[in-house]
C-alpha cells in the first residue's frame, strides 16, 4: 500500500510547502520575471530606435524628387 505523504505543519497551523511545490512556484516566478524583462527591453528598444527610418532607407530614388517614397 502507498503511504500517505506527511506534511510539516508550522506552529501557526499552516502546512509548509514541499520541495517540489517550492520549485514549481519558483519556476513560475522566474518565467514571469523573464517575460516582464523581455517586454520592458522591447519597449525600450522601440522607443530608442526609430525603425521608420530603417524602412525608408533609400526612399528617394532620384535626388530630383520624382518619387516621394519607395513604399507607396
Amino acid at each position: 500500500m502507498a503511504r500517505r505523504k506527511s506534511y510539516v505543519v508550522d506552529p501557526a497551523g499552516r502546512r509548509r510547502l514541499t520541495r517540489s511545490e517550492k520549485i514549481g512556484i519558483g519556476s513560475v516566478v522566474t518565467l514571469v520575471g523573464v517575460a516582464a524583462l523581455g517586454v520592458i527591453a522591447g519597449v525600450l528598444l522601440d522607443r530608442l530606435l526609430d525603425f521608420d527610418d530603417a524602412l525608408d532607407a533609400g526612399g528617394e530614388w532620384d535626388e530630383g524628387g520624382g518619387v516621394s517614397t519607395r513604399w507607396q
Side-chain angles (χ1 to χ4, degrees):
M1 278 188 161
R3 201 174 81 183
R4 185 172 172 221
K5 267 188 172 181
S6 62
Y7 293 108
V8 177
V9 178
D10 66 2
R14 295 178 302 215
R15 182 179 69 85
R16 292 178 57 187
L17 296 175
T18 63
R19 179 178 292 175
S20 61
E21 289 170 336
K22 289 178 186 177
I23 291 172
I25 292 172
S27 298
V28 170
V29 169
T30 302
L31 285 174
V32 169
V34 168
L37 285 175
V39 168
I40 291 169
V43 169
L44 284 175
L45 281 175
D46 185 47
R47 299 285 180 198
L48 292 175
L49 300 175
D50 190 11
F51 288 111
D52 291 338
D53 290 341
L55 293 176
D56 291 337
E60 283 218 33
W61 291 353
D62 58 345
E63 301 261 337
V67 179
S68 61
T69 63
R70 180 185 228 167
W71 303 110
Q72 283 184 347

